[in-house]
Amino acid sequence: MPLPSMRLYGAKQCTAKSKRTGLPCNNPAAYGCRTCRMHGARKAESIKRGEQHPNYVHGRRTLEAQAEQSAAACRLQQLEDAMHLLNMTAAKLSRGRKANGYCKIKSVDEIKKVIK
Ligand SMILES: [Zn+2]
């Protein structure tokens, strides 16, 4: 049951859920945050990103770099689809998980859309 302050003063409830029970946390959210102090309340402006983050080493694993790599892998997989569609190769399709945002090319019209 949430604390009475949440009911009386309209404080926001922590959005975290228990791993064990799946029930929502009953604590009030910290000021300006979505979660309580026990669930890592941090304001968006206090979160360090990129080179300011203490675990930053070389920049190959930043969110921007990963998004770039994922987009490049997606383009490469679509190029492979296009090659198979146009009978330019007899190689087998590559196996494994496809990149985020990948959608299979099924027709020549879709190839034209991707090339633009
Ligand atoms: Zn909480």
Side-chain angles (χ1 to χ4, degrees):
M1 183 170 185
L3 294 172
S5 64
M6 296 174 62
R7 196 169 9 97
L8 293 174
Y9 306 114
K12 290 181 183 174
Q13 188 172 359
C14 175
T15 57
K17 285 187 177 179
S18 169
K19 262 196 260 184
R20 188 167 45 88
T21 63
L23 296 173
C25 176
N26 286 330
N27 289 329
Y31 180 75
C33 304
R34 295 177 55 215
T35 56
C36 69
R37 64 192 176 95
M38 303 300 283
H39 288 112
R42 289 189 300 176
K43 291 183 180 175
E45 60 266 15
S46 71
I47 298 172
K48 294 179 179 175
R49 295 192 182 279
E51 292 184 33
Q52 284 75 40
H53 195 276
N55 291 342
Y56 180 88
V57 178
H58 44 63
R60 291 190 297 247
R61 302 291 295 171
T62 59
L63 292 174
E64 295 82 21
Q66 286 179 331
E68 235 173 73
Q69 289 170 1
S70 185
C74 183
R75 282 193 303 271
L76 199 59
Q77 287 166 350
Q78 287 180 332
L79 185 64
E80 182 186 353
D81 287 345
M83 287 176 67
H84 281 279
L85 201 64
L86 299 172
N87 291 327
M88 293 171 71
T89 181
K92 289 183 178 178
L93 283 170
S94 62
R95 297 169 42 176
R97 186 186 69 81
K98 304 300 179 208
N100 289 339
Y102 166 77
C103 54
K104 187 175 177 71
I105 295 179
K106 297 172 186 166
S107 68
V108 178
D109 293 335
E110 291 180 29
I111 296 172
K112 290 176 186 172
K113 286 179 188 173
V114 170
I115 290 172
K116 285 181 183 175

